Amino acid sequence: MNTLLALVSKELRVFWNDRTAVVLSFLVPMVLITIFGMIFGGGGGGPSGIRVLVVDEANSETSEKLIEILRSEDTFRIFTDRSLPEGESVPLEREYAASLLQTDASTYRYLLILPEDLLSEDFGFNLELLYNPQNTIENNIVQGILQKTLFSQGFPLLLNNIEYGITDSVQDAFNGDLAMIISEHFGADPDEILEEINSGGFFGGAFSADSSAEGEETDASDDLLGGVFNMEKTQVFGKGKNPASQSVGGWAVMFLLFSLTGAASSLFEERDQGLFLRILAGPANRTQILWSKFIFCALLGLSQMVVLILFGEVVFDVITSWRQLLPLFVVSLAAASAATAFGMLLSSIAKTPAQANGLGTFLILGMSAFGGAMFPLFMIPETIRTYISPFTLVYWAMDGLLAVLWRDAGLVQVLPQVGVLFAIACVVLSIALWRFRRGDLFR
């Protein structure tokens, strides 16, 4: 028993002596719990700040009120103007706004147009929506909340619009008929429904985003008010594509980081086994040893990315054209280079394998969460999405892969993402090499 206690005591002392590893053992899960708590409800409020471009071609009092209604919805961040080089701000035009969906698809995925004939001749709104359903969940949320907002707050604009000459008596009669129709479809008391309509609170409660997910009720509400809101929808990207493209790219990038961080951490094992000293006794020098490790890990990461994307093609049919192969290869090479540099930086900072593993797990999961590899970026708080996500290599790797797999971007179109990834690789690798020269890896 004494021997056993002595051995356990030795293990505890060894663990406690590596203070950095001890801190990371508890700090990493705490930070990750905080991150996931913020994303999945701890921050409260649900998705917010999803950018929606709005073009007001009607230029009427009604269109301005509709835009104000949309601005009041926290889910959306409405853009109606653009800045000219001279600093002047002008309203968005249809052609320019539509081009943003093409050229800056990672930022803008929804364009709502209020056309000149916003008010239909009969009764209702004419609207146009251009959308990029890059993420199915985000697209369903945006369209559901857009529909709910227009139904609940835009409908009174129609009833009170002088264009239709609706007097109080006509409106009362309409509300009564509407209450009877709703009662017939949903089985509620028509008097209570009429009271809710007259108080202005019925549509906000009846046509919620949740209720729109119910099949039969959705059909009923669509039949009832679908003719009032004539929305012409145009899908910009992704026709015939599998939404699994995001999952394939995200998990491929995240496990690329895990694999290459582990491979780079093998430097500790080779140091402890004395391999470096034996190699240095020959013609090789330190720089050649480190570059050989970098090239090996980058090729390993590239192979992993190629295999995982091909696996995604076999299972989910994510590749739809042979023209995607070259840009996919280049993006994968850039991502593998950046991930390898990241792994070598970890090895240069950490003093023990335990520190490298703890710090690596923390940074990889954090970058994967904030970069869009674990779940769509719209689920992340807007502040993090705007100011932190673009500083992660996962963000640019994901953006490059989605550009190719979802939007059929060519090599020229993904040059910005590839350039950023190679720049990250150069900067991070330079820091790692500088750290290695000052450290005790070759002693």
Side-chain angles (χ1 to χ4, degrees), residues 310-435:
L310 290 178
F311 178 77
E313 161 63 12
V314 172
V315 178
F316 298 112
D317 194 24
V318 295
I319 300 175
T320 55
S321 170
W322 63 269
R323 295 183 179 85
Q324 295 173 300
L325 298 180
L326 179 59
L328 277 177
F329 179 83
V330 174
V331 172
S332 299
L333 178 61
S337 301
T340 301
F342 168 77
M344 295 189 72
L345 178 63
L346 280 180
S347 299
S348 70
I349 295 174
K351 295 182 179 179
T352 65
Q355 291 181 14
N357 291 333
L359 190 59
T361 302
F362 168 63
L363 292 176
I364 291 170
L365 292 181
M367 286 198 298
S368 299
F370 292 156
M374 281 188 178
F375 25 72
L377 284 175
F378 81 92
M379 299 176 69
I380 301 172
E382 186 180 8
T383 303
I384 296 176
R385 193 168 65 224
T386 304
Y387 298 107
I388 296 180
S389 296
F391 290 95
T392 65
L393 70 90
V394 174
Y395 173 88
W396 294 100
M398 283 292 303
D399 198 38
L401 290 174
L402 278 178
V404 179
L405 293 174
W406 185 256
R407 304 194 294 271
D408 290 327
L411 187 57
V412 175
Q413 283 80 24
V414 295
L415 283 180
Q417 292 90 338
V418 171
V420 171
L421 288 170
F422 276 128
I424 292 174
C426 291
V427 173
V428 174
L429 184 61
S430 299
I431 298 173
L433 294 177
W434 174 72
R435 290 281 307 175

